[in-house]
């Protein structure tokens, strides 16, 4: 059983919902992002998404755009991202790690090499924002061979027969993008999201995590009523940026994550 | 008015180079639909509506009626006698023609695909238009058709380009468009395109994204090409009328590649016609300041397509540079990437300085002030014309006029206006 499956079964057995937290690799620095990551599980994060920075993150709002550019200025690249995952795994062998980003840096690295190195480092899944089912075969095949999960995105516009297209070949969990928009911007309409997730659940047993626009413990609590997990990204990235020079940064983020976990 | 081959029935023969893309939008390895899931259903509906329009004669009748009376098509195919004589040497020197798309309403070829796309947007029932722009030509052309059809228009433009193309910013505002300066990233055309995509993701219900070149996710490269192919179709017919035969060489500048694709595409299956795409070499393609994606870039994925991009070894997109804002884009349309790989089209580059010399030369020789974009094409014509035989016919796409560039050029020449 994969780490992702194990974590969702444990949550289900305990009748709990999961918290997914997002941190950009290399922002505000390689060392600090690693330190924050290492402390996330103890603070309540059930899953960790690590952002692989890209110059042109077209699905991201201002917070993650700026975070990506800062990470790149810090010399972040794929090898260093893998090193962060390796270092994290030396301390933690249970919490699933999902690498999130855009296809071009992976394509430049080489799809097969990327999967080999991601698995070796200890990653469990991938979310590639600009790789819809129609185009994902060249990455999906090596991902499946390696036993990792290529996590599919479902959005409010994924309706009708398209839902089947996306669910087919999905594994790990489904990432429900709760708004039509970029990360960290508007807030979702919970009734609409809830209705859509119920519809999705008719077609698949794969767990559904909801993300985009979830900022506060209150948002997280509301969303956790209708999904198996909630994703918080921009709010954490923002908090890290606001307090980048604070020597207690890791503790501040731990507190934020603890509050979110209590709410879900 | 020239009758055009709109239904593509002749173009879909099995071995035709004009048959692409395949049904998933691929030209060989390139093209495709690399967009966020939010946009996928919308992209699919643009494709569906475009294909319905393409097969509907009433759609083309409306397009051609407006192309004639509103844009001023067909644009003339002009024998550039003075230029031909200037570059003749002894028994050599090609015969040079210009396809005068700078005479179009709004001063460039961009209006061709803006007209076509707004008709598609109306068929889709969309009520507002967004666009990205570099030099501002596509923004002006988009704002123009939006004024014509009374649709609200928002144009995303890199903050740096807003600065260096202020006359076009003013024009867009006069036409009723909202111009949004984009400061994210490097503040140029690629960032304007990112921002337009982000805006579209957030406004999928009522908004149509009117992309300004043969780039972006399928079906845009195909759709923009088919609207711009009016350039090549006219050229073919005009050349047959004037010379009784096809031209030997076609030359066009390339940023994203819309004017070049429009000129080249109708000739792709004519093996005697040689084609040259001229990329912006900036300070030189061996420096890090150029915009020559094919000559100095590599295959990658950005803005919804697989194509050639300027990028580093880690797959991070690098900034393009060109004296011409319209060519200042670190990518190129996917069909060009394909034609490059199969070597059907030859791609070269010229530098900022060469383009500037060509700008001055064409102004004096023919009394035509070209835009800096086709000045790149002319710089290459200047290089090759004298070496070619007298019976060799070159057609260069003079795709835009230079009024918008006089400030940039004056500054470069150290003159005050």
């Amino acid at each position: 059983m994969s780490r992702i499956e194990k974590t969702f079964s444990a949550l289900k057995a305990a009748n709990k919902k999961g918290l997914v937290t997002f941190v950009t690799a290399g922002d505000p620095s390689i060392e600090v992002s690693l330190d924050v990551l290492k402390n996330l599980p103890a603070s309540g994060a059930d899953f960790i998404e690590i952002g692989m920075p890209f110059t042109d993150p077209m699905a991201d709002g201002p917070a993650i755009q700026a975070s990506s550019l800062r990470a790149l200025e810090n010399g972040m690249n794929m090898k260093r991202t893998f090193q962060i995952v390796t270092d994290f795994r030396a301390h933690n062998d249970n919490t699933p790690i999902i690498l999130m980003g855009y296809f071009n840096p992976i394509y430049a690295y080489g799809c097969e090499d990327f999967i080999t190195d991601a698995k070796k480092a200890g990653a469990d899944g991938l979310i590639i924002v600009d790789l819809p089912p129609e185009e994902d075969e060249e990455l999906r095949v090596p991902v499946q061979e390696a036993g990792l999960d290529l996590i599919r995105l479902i959005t409010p516009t994924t309706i009708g027969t398209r839902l089947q297209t996306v669910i087919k070949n999905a594994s790990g969990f489904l990432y429900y993008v709760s708004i039509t928009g970029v990360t960290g911007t508007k807030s979702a309409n919970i009734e609409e999201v809830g209705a859509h997730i119920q519809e999705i659940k008719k077609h698949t047993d794969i767990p559904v995590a909801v993300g985009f626009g979830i900022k506060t413990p209150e948002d997280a609590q509301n969303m956790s009523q209708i999904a198996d997990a909630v994703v918080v990204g921009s709010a954490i990235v923002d908090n890290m940026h606001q307090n980048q020079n604070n020597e207690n940064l890791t503790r501040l983020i731990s507190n934020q994550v603890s509050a979110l976990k209590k709410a879900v | 008015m020239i009758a055009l081959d709109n239904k593509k029935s002749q173009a879909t023969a099995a071995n035709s180079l004009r048959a692409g893309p395949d049904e998933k939008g691929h030209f060989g390895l390139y093209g495709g639909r690399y967009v966020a899931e939010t946009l996928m259903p919308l992209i699919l509906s643009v494709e569906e509506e475009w294909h319905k329009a393409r097969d509907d004669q009433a759609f083309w009748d409306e397009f051609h009626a407006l192309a004639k009376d509103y844009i001023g098509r067909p644009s003339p195919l002009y024998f550039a006698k003075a230029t031909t004589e200037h570059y003749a040497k002894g028994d050599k020197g090609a015969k040079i023609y210009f396809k005068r798309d700078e005479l179009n309403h709004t001063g460039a070829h961009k209006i061709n695909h803006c007209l076509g796309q707004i008709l598609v947007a109306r068929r889709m029932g969309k009520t507002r238009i967004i666009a990205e722009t570099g030099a501002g030509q596509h923004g002006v052309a988009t704002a123009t058709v939006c004024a014509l059809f009374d649709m609200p228009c928002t144009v995303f433009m890199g903050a740096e380009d807003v600065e260096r193309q202020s006359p076009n910013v003013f024009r867009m505002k006069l036409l009723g468009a909202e111009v949004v300066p984009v400061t994210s990233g490097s503040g140029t055309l690629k960032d304007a395109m990112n921002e337009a995509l982000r805006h579209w993701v957030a406004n999928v219900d009522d908004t149509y994204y009117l992309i300004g070149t043969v780039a972006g996710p399928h079906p845009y490269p195909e759709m923009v090409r088919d609207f711009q192919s009016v350039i090549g179709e006219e050229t073919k017919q005009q050349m047959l009328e004037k010379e009784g035969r096809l031209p030997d060489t076609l030359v066009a500048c390339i940023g994203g590649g819309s004017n070049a694709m429009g000129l080249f595409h109708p000739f792709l299956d004519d093996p005697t016609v040689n084609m040259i795409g001229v990329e912006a070499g900036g300070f030189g393609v061996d420096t890090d300041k150029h915009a020559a994606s094919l000559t100095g870039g590599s295959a990658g994925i950005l803005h919804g397509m697989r194509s050639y991009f300027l990028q580093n070894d880690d797959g991070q997109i690098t900034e393009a540079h060109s004296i011409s804002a319209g060519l200042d884009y670190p990518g190129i349309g996917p069909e060009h990437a394909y034609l490059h790989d199969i070597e059907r089209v030859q791609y070269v580059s010229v530098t900022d300085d060469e383009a500037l010399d060509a700008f001055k030369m064409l102004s004096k020789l023919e009394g035509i002030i070209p835009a800096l974009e086709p000045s790149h094409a002319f710089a290459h014509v200047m290089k090759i014309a004298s070496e070619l035989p007298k019976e060799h016919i070159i057609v260069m796409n003079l795709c835009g006029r230079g009024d918008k560039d006089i400030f940039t050029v004056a500054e470069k020449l150290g003159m005050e206006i």
Side-chain angles (χ1 to χ4, degrees):
Chain A
M1 205 188 261
S2 72
R3 288 190 194 95
I4 293 175
E5 280 177 292
K6 272 188 211 162
T7 306
F8 272 114
S9 337
L11 285 165
K12 198 173 179 187
N15 200 21
K16 284 183 176 166
K17 301 300 175 71
L19 175 66
V20 186
T21 53
F22 175 97
V23 171
T24 303
D27 176 40
S29 68
I30 294 175
E31 296 73 24
V32 174
S33 62
L34 178 60
D35 198 41
V36 168
L37 284 166
K38 281 182 184 167
N39 283 284
L40 287 175
S43 315
D46 301 297
F47 304 82
I48 293 174
E49 280 179 15
I50 297 181
M52 301 177 283
F54 181 47
T55 39
D56 295 79
M58 71 165 186
D60 282 298
I64 294 178
Q65 284 173 41
S67 175
S68 288
L69 291 181
R70 288 193 299 267
L72 291 172
E73 273 164 30
N74 292 337
M76 210 56 208
N77 60 25
M78 209 58 94
K79 285 226 181 301
R80 289 180 179 140
T81 301
F82 289 144
Q83 190 57 50
I84 286 180
V85 178
T86 305
D87 292 347
F88 176 90
R89 275 282 168 255
H91 294 257
N92 177 315
D93 196 34
N94 301 318
T95 307
I97 290 185
I98 295 121
L99 297 173
M100 184 162 185
Y102 294 80
F103 190 40
N104 198 51
I106 295 172
Y107 183 72
Y109 197 92
C111 287
E112 306 256 345
D113 288 348
F114 175 84
I115 297 305
T116 304
D117 291 354
K119 188 179 166 88
K120 204 165 93 188
D124 303 285
L126 299 173
I127 300 174
I128 310 303
V129 181
D130 56 352
L131 201 60
E134 283 82 352
E135 303 287 355
D136 75 4
E137 196 180 337
E138 68 182 299
L139 190 65
R140 179 167 43 80
V141 172
V143 163
Q144 286 169 339
E145 282 169 3
L148 302 182
D149 291 312
L150 185 58
I151 288 150
R152 290 267 174 85
L153 297 149
I154 292 187
T155 73
T157 59
T158 314
I159 49 175
T161 55
R162 177 137 194 96
L163 199 52
Q164 301 297 338
T165 307
V166 176
I167 288 173
K168 191 185 168 196
N169 289 317
S171 70
F173 60 91
L174 290 164
Y175 188 124
Y176 189 88
V177 175
S178 68
I179 53 166
T180 52
V182 294
T183 52
T185 52
K186 40 188 183 182
S187 294
N189 177 322
I190 193 141
E191 283 79 27
E192 286 173 15
V193 174
H196 202 177
I197 289 177
Q198 277 185 1
E199 175 65 24
I200 294 164
K201 294 267 184 195
K202 284 184 202 160
H203 301 282
T204 178
D205 296 328
I206 300 174
V208 179
V210 177
F212 281 48
I214 300 171
K215 296 177 184 122
T216 63
E218 194 190 348
D219 296 337
Q221 182 175 24
N222 291 337
M223 280 300 172
S224 68
Q225 310 292 321
I226 56 168
D228 301 299
V230 297
V231 187
V232 182
S234 297
I236 294 172
V237 168
D238 256 343
N239 197 12
M240 285 179 70
H241 181 53
Q242 305 290 335
N243 296 289
Q244 56 179 325
N245 297 320
N246 190 320
E247 56 186 30
N248 296 318
L249 174 65
T250 301
R251 207 182 68 221
L252 288 172
I253 301 302
S254 287
N255 292 345
Q256 183 185 16
V257 171
S258 298
L260 289 163
K261 179 60 185 173
K262 276 192 197 109
V264 300
Chain B
M1 182 175 139
I2 293 172
L4 296 170
D5 166 28
N6 293 320
K7 293 205 172 181
K8 295 177 49 106
S9 50
Q10 295 169 16
T12 44
N15 295 321
S16 171
L17 288 173
R18 300 180 63 199
D22 68 17
E23 61 184 31
K24 287 175 129 186
H26 293 122
F27 301 92
L29 288 173
Y30 305 101
R33 293 177 283 225
Y34 295 86
V35 297
E37 175 60 24
T38 320
L39 288 181
M40 271 308 290
L42 191 55
I43 294 287
L44 294 171
S45 71
V46 172
E47 181 188 347
E48 192 186 340
E49 197 59 52
W50 150 238
H51 284 166
K52 270 194 237 162
R54 194 179 62 183
D55 295 336
D56 180 357
Q57 191 54 47
F59 174 81
W60 290 106
D61 290 347
E62 188 178 11
F63 176 80
H64 287 303
L66 284 163
K68 177 170 180 275
D69 293 339
Y70 189 71
I71 298 178
R73 301 212 71 91
S75 69
L77 182 67
Y78 167 67
F79 170 50
K81 187 160 173 280
T83 305
T84 298
E85 283 169 4
H86 185 83
Y87 290 101
K89 262 191 200 156
D91 60 348
K92 296 235 171 170
K95 195 168 183 184
I96 299 163
Y97 281 87
F98 296 136
K99 179 62 174 163
R100 301 286 306 276
D101 254 51
E102 101 281 10
L103 292 176
N104 292 340
H105 179 43
T106 73
H109 69 288
K110 295 289 185 192
I111 191 81
N112 301 330
H113 67 234
C114 288
L115 175 61
Q117 285 192 70
I118 204 163
L119 295 177
V120 171
R122 280 160 57 85
R123 286 174 70 111
M124 291 180 76
K126 299 297 181 188
T127 54
R128 62 188 290 269
I129 300 290
I130 59 168
E132 85 295 335
T133 194
Q137 290 306 104
H138 174 64
V140 167
T142 304
T144 299
V145 295
C146 287
L148 178 65
F149 287 102
D150 193 24
M151 284 170 90
C153 175
T154 302
V155 179
F156 295 89
M157 187 171 188
E160 192 187 316
D161 291 334
V162 170
E163 196 73 23
R164 61 179 171 176
Q165 300 288 340
S166 54
N168 272 344
V169 174
F170 184 63
R171 283 187 191 102
M172 285 185 270
K173 288 180 177 168
L174 274 179
L175 292 160
E178 175 196 13
V179 179
V180 179
V182 175
T183 52
S184 64
S186 54
T188 56
L189 179 55
K190 88 173 167 82
D191 307 289
M193 199 156 177
N194 288 333
E195 214 52 40
L197 283 164
R198 289 181 188 120
H199 182 91
W200 202 23
V201 166
N203 296 277
V204 289
D205 289 337
D206 60 351
T207 302
Y208 179 87
Y209 181 14
L210 206 158
I211 292 182
T213 188
V214 285
H218 179 62
Y220 284 96
E222 170 195 271
M223 178 168 58
V224 173
R225 174 200 72 197
D226 286 356
F227 292 133
Q228 289 297 351
S229 289
V230 68
I231 298 171
E233 298 284 359
E234 286 175 4
T235 300
K236 205 172 206 179
Q237 186 156 334
Q238 289 165 325
M239 187 51 71
L240 289 171
E241 282 162 13
K242 285 178 192 285
E243 296 279 353
R245 68 178 183 91
L246 296 177
D248 299 293
T249 298
L250 306 175
V251 182
C253 64
I254 302 209
S258 63
N259 91 82
M261 194 53 69
L263 177 64
F264 296 169
H265 194 259
F267 293 95
L268 285 177
D269 287 334
D270 298 308
T272 60
V273 181
N274 174 40
M275 303 176 193
I276 304 172
V278 185
E279 295 192 291
F283 292 0
V285 287
D286 49 351
T287 71
D288 62 357
K289 289 207 180 301
H290 64 83
S293 317
L294 289 175
T295 317
S298 54
I301 292 94
L302 184 72
H303 293 154
M305 61 178 171
R306 187 192 309 243
S307 190
Y308 276 71
F309 297 96
L310 302 180
Q311 55 184 325
N312 68 16
D313 292 343
D314 295 326
Q316 304 296 343
I317 305 302
T318 53
E319 289 177 27
H321 163 81
S322 170
I323 188 174
S324 146
L327 305 182
D328 200 349
Y329 177 64
I332 186 165
E335 194 165 8
H336 284 296
Y338 171 67
L339 294 171
H340 169 265
D341 281 14
I342 64 166
E343 298 181 350
R344 176 63 184 96
V345 178
Q346 181 195 354
Y347 294 89
V348 299
S349 69
V350 308
T351 64
D352 285 354
D353 287 344
E354 289 170 330
L356 206 54
D357 286 344
F359 178 97
K360 291 188 282 184
M361 184 59 95
L362 187 51
S363 301
K364 282 188 182 151
L365 275 176
E366 295 288 347
I368 299 172
I369 299 175
L372 281 167
E373 291 80 10
S375 296
H376 285 73
F378 189 61
H380 191 72
V381 170
M382 286 163 62
K383 287 182 191 176
I384 61 171
S386 300
E387 304 298 321
L388 293 166
K390 286 221 186 276
E391 63 276 14
H392 191 103
I393 298 172
I394 295 177
V395 175
M396 188 199 97
N397 198 7
L398 220 178
C399 62
R401 63 174 94 119
D403 312 38
K404 70 183 175 64
D405 291 316
I406 54 171
F407 303 99
T408 306
V409 172
E411 194 190 317
K412 280 276 166 195
L413 300 178
M415 291 155 81
E416 274 186 41
I417 295 184

